[in-house]
Amino acid sequence: MADCAAVVIIGGGIQGLSLAYHLALHGMNRVCLLEEQTLGSGSSGKSASVIGHAFQSERCLALTLWSFQALLRFEEELGATPDYEPIGCLLLGDEQEAVGFRQRHTLLRERGVTCSLIGPDEIDRLTPGLNLDGIELGLHLPADGVLDPHMMMMAYAKQARRRGVRILEGVEATSLELHHGRVTGVQTTGGLISTDWVVNAAGARAREVASWVGLDLPITNLKRHVVVTGPVETYRCNIPFTYEAGPAWYMRREGPGVLLGMGKTATHAGDVAVDQSYLLELIDYSIHRAPPLAEAGMMTSWAGLRPVTPDDDPILGPVDRVGGYVNDCGWGGIGVMNAPAAGMALAEWLCHGRATTINVDHFGAERFEP
């Protein structure tokens, strides 16, 4: 193991890998990325794999718009396809959520995103067979779609390594060394790495890592369950990524079957075990909202974590009271779709002292201080 680096990144998910790649693009190759298991073994590898403009806050939308363009040039730039498929995104909301949909529709159109508000007939045309009881309105974004986060992560890793970045799998960060209020090193299961900067891209462990420098980041890990079914005749056609805002339930095609997801139960960082009782809740609700699923068999299931903040925006950038420490965490399920822009912006900050392409100042941890 290398015993020193200019930057140490804790976390081998898509955020950490994007940052490593973008740092290398800026000529900073004394970078070391630590992943306690294997690359993408955390939340990134269990993602619903969607890039959707409607899921962003107004502050995050600039990141998503930039990332979407980066996605379109991804193969040219990194030599690997992200398997982007523009299946569209369809959000479903009740009477209360419809108010927010109308506001979001206006904002998205102002930013140049193609979208439309639709009623029951158009919803049924896009995603047939739904039970629309309680659904007031739909928001449809035809250019949104799904991608392959594994392919993206492996491409970032390959290109970062080619430029001199060290990526260490199976090496866990265990604490941070500080001297006079500044990070000077990372203690790991393989020994100490001295460094000028450490980036907390630790996903579900981000709150723990922040505590090593005396920070209490308001990040809560929410558990989501996912089921993949066998073939369903009604959904052999192409359907958009269909998301109901209230219960945070979604469905999309996955191979010959359908992928279903739901859940927002707070839990600890290591809890990714499938809860069989909650799995039944997910299946029951899915059949309620999409009755044709009653004929489907379950092929596989898993659970993943979404590290969320109180305002649903990520925590990015340095903190005033700890030198050499940078946050890149709290992504809450939108980390994959925003990874290109976040990696680019933080690389600019670390190499040049500020992010110039996109302003990320409003994502600092200080916004949560009283």
Side-chain angles (χ1 to χ4, degrees), residues 44-72:
S44 298
K46 298 178 174 66
S47 165
S49 310
V50 63
I51 180 163
H53 295 83
F55 295 100
Q56 315 302 317
S57 70
E58 183 172 356
R59 295 189 296 187
C60 267
L61 190 54
L63 295 173
T64 310
L65 291 168
W66 196 94
S67 291
F68 188 76
Q69 294 304 312
L71 180 68
L72 298 180

Side-chain angles (χ1 to χ4, degrees), residues 224 243-250 261-264 278 282 285 306:
R224 174 174 282 169
Y243 179 88
E244 184 180 354
W249 171 87
Y250 59 78
M262 190 171 75
K264 45 187 177 181
Y278 189 83
L282 165 57
Y285 191 83
R306 295 185 300 124

